[in-house]
Amino acid sequence: MTTTQESSSLGLQRSRPRVVIVGGGFGGVYAAKRFRGVDVDVTLLDRGTSHVFQPLLYQCATGLLSEGEITTPLRHLLRGYSNIHVALGEAQSIDTDEKVLTASRFDGSTFDVPYDYLIVAAGMRQAYHGHDEYIQWAPGMKTLDDALAIRRKLISAFEMAESLPTPEERKPWLTFAVAGGGPTGVELAGQIRELALRALAHEFQSIDPGEARVLLLHGGDRVLPSFNRKLSAAAQATLDKIGVETHLGVHVTDVSATSVETTSKDGAKTKNRFDARTILWTAGVEAVPFASVLAQALGVKQASGGRIEVNPDLSVPGHPNVWVVGDMMALKELPGVAEVAMQGGRHAAGCIARTVERGSPDRKPFKYRDLGSAAYIARRHALVQAGPIQMSGAVGWVSWGVIHIAFLAGYRNRFGTLLNWAATLASGARRERAITYGDPQSARQPYDA
């Protein structure tokens, strides 16, 4: 396919087929990398400056890793790709007739990016199931803003408790509630207990951080329902051992600045309220707002969670030049995990690359290769599940570490993370505990809010 030379409002002169990728996560980055040496001009649009390794966000939130160790600047990551331009902006609207995407800048102004092919890998955000007011008290775990907001809440809670004169006043500050018993919730709950038991154990005079109460609130009948029941039971045993209080079969039905309420799912509908000044939310995800904008512009319906249904080749029905990949796509109940996004991004980009090179459309169906799932529970305890292979305990923990180091972007991040893990394992200390005093809701707001 050839195009006439055009310029976008970014000031770029383009004379080759134009590919626009929305999102700098796993799907977007792996799609962009597939275009090395392909005769196309690529624009990667993201609202942040860095690629974030989301599987380790909870370790940033709990002071084990710094934000620098789980992020890589997109411009640095793609600096060797002469045909890729990185643009900082948030996708706002799309004109499918004119093939133009409009994005907003930090100051609220907008710019247009024309495209011939579009790959949307914008991801998901935390879902509050109709109660977005909860976000002011219960941050989620999907962005770097979320991780830093949670770190601020955790560290501040211990500091507040240290300054209070009576055990009754301290108790709510030393109670931490985590909503959601999936991998993120389990990992977060386990790390809070480890933070209290090891890193903070000898640093306070008035309180014993080991008395911190961690509540894991989950609607299912077991934690980690996506894992084999045997592995799920092993995770539960580890949580019990380190002192996490698991409450199963309950929905969170109210959240405030000082407490969280649960209601049992059984016929009794029993309500319990826990006094807690730190409430964290990992109970479900939903598509980012741009998914609705895209669906309306393309004339397609959204599936559960706001996802967009796609054809076997990951293109959108009726729009052969638009692909949706990663968490935002709905196809054969594929899970919202990093590997699906990586493989989907590569596949969509491959379809475009072969179309450009051969001059005819490529509609090769996407075949997902399941490389398994992993979850960190506690020190020397992790789960790995890959087909018939099931590992837990220390063996699972080592395998979990190898997997995550392998997928971290950049040798510097890999080395830094390994060094930090080794130091923490040897000493129990967590030095990445600096906190900020910004707005924890910023990750949910558009640039011009």
Side-chain angles (χ1 to χ4, degrees):
M1 177 179 178
T2 59
T3 62
T4 57
Q5 183 168 325
E6 294 185 36
S7 63
S8 72
S9 61
L10 290 173
L12 302 172
Q13 295 293 327
R14 299 298 175 96
S15 59
R16 299 183 292 185
R18 303 155 301 182
V19 179
V20 173
I21 302 171
V22 179
F26 290 111
V29 166
Y30 274 71
K33 287 185 173 182
R34 175 61 180 81
F35 288 112
R36 180 190 287 275
V38 180
D39 192 27
V40 295
D41 289 308
V42 180
T43 298
L44 176 65
L45 176 75
D46 194 83
R47 65 172 303 186
T49 59
S50 298
H51 168 70
V52 180
F53 191 76
Q54 285 190 343
L56 291 179
L57 272 175
Y58 72 95
Q59 293 201 3
C60 176
T62 53
L64 184 54
L65 297 176
S66 73
E67 53 269 39
E69 287 166 326
I70 64 168
T71 61
T72 303
L74 288 167
R75 296 187 186 281
H76 178 78
L77 190 62
L78 299 171
R79 67 193 184 283
Y81 297 76
S82 60
N83 61 335
I84 297 179
H85 169 73
V86 176
L88 184 65
E90 183 170 26
Q92 295 289 344
S93 62
I94 180 173
D95 186 330
T96 56
D97 294 328
E98 296 296 327
K99 297 181 182 178
V100 173
L101 181 76
T102 299
S104 63
R105 301 184 179 94
F106 279 111
D107 63 357
S109 63
T110 62
F111 59 94
D112 293 332
V113 188
Y115 66 88
D116 296 300
Y117 302 100
L118 176 66
I119 298 176
V120 180
M124 307 289 276
R125 66 177 186 176
Q126 209 71 63
Y128 288 84
H129 310 296
H131 292 279
D132 280 357
E133 69 275 13
Y134 292 173
I135 192 174
Q136 61 185 306
W137 302 298
M141 182 57 80
K142 293 297 289 182
T143 68
L144 191 58
D145 300 76
D146 292 334
L148 296 179
I150 289 174
R151 183 195 292 180
R152 177 171 59 247
K153 289 179 73 71
L154 293 177
I155 301 303
S156 297
F158 286 103
E159 296 292 345
M160 281 293 300
E162 173 77 357
S163 71
L164 295 170
T166 67
E168 291 75 20
E169 292 175 284
R170 298 169 188 161
K171 187 176 179 180
W173 288 101
L174 292 177
T175 301
F176 304 85
V178 180
T184 303
V186 168
E187 290 170 333
L188 193 53
Q191 285 297 295
I192 295 172
R193 278 297 291 170
E194 289 205 342
L195 172 68
L197 290 171
R198 297 182 180 277
L200 305 181
H202 306 294
E203 297 188 1
F204 291 84
Q205 285 74 45
S206 299
I207 63 171
D208 176 6
E211 295 179 358
R213 187 183 183 193
V214 180
L215 312 174
L216 183 60
L217 314 173
H218 183 53
D221 62 351
R222 61 188 178 99
V223 297
L224 301 176
S226 61
F227 283 77
N228 175 276
R229 283 190 173 274
K230 182 179 179 180
L231 292 180
S232 179
Q236 184 64 68
T238 301
L239 291 172
D240 293 341
K241 182 178 180 180
I242 64 174
V244 173
E245 299 178 31
T246 306
H247 297 260
L248 300 174
V250 299
H251 284 312
V252 173
T253 48
D254 188 47
V255 174
S256 71
T258 58
S259 66
V260 58
E261 178 193 80
T262 64
T263 302
S264 64
K265 294 173 63 178
D266 58 25
K269 301 295 182 183
T270 304
K271 293 183 180 293
N272 284 302
R273 184 168 288 275
F274 302 93
D275 293 329
R277 298 301 298 254
T278 303
I279 303 159
L280 310 176
W281 194 274
T282 68
V285 293
E286 64 184 10
V288 296
F290 181 66
S292 296
V293 174
L294 181 66
Q296 184 174 0
L298 299 179
V300 297
K301 293 182 179 179
Q302 292 177 268
S304 62
R307 295 175 173 85
I308 294 178
E309 293 186 356
V310 295
N311 293 319
D313 67 339
L314 307 186
S315 65
V316 178
H319 298 273
N321 65 329
V322 179
W323 284 259
V324 175
V325 303
D327 295 356
M328 213 171 94
M329 73 176 186
L331 178 68
K332 299 179 180 178
E333 298 184 357
L334 288 175
V337 296
E339 192 57 42
V340 171
M342 294 175 191
Q343 294 181 31
R346 281 197 300 261
H347 177 85
C351 288
I352 296 171
R354 289 187 294 271
T355 296
V356 171
E357 291 165 351
R358 298 172 184 174
S360 59
D362 182 291
R363 294 299 166 195
K364 181 180 179 181
F366 174 58
K367 293 182 180 180
Y368 172 55
R369 183 186 177 192
D370 188 358
L371 299 182
S373 303
Y376 184 107
I377 312 302
R379 185 185 180 96
R380 296 190 177 91
H381 291 276
L383 308 180
V384 174
Q385 177 176 290
I389 300 174
Q390 297 177 13
M391 293 179 283
S392 61
V395 175
W397 177 66
V398 172
S399 300
W400 172 93
V402 171
I403 292 169
H404 283 70
I405 288 296
F407 283 109
L408 265 172
Y411 291 106
R412 182 174 180 176
N413 282 8
R414 292 170 189 164
F415 178 76
T417 297
L418 270 176
L419 188 63
N420 216 332
W421 282 350
T424 301
L425 184 64
S427 66
R430 298 186 183 213
R431 297 181 58 84
E432 304 298 341
R433 284 157 33 200
I435 62 175
T436 61
Y437 298 91
D439 175 13
Q441 298 186 60
S442 60
R444 294 296 292 269
Q445 303 298 324
Y447 287 149
D448 54 354

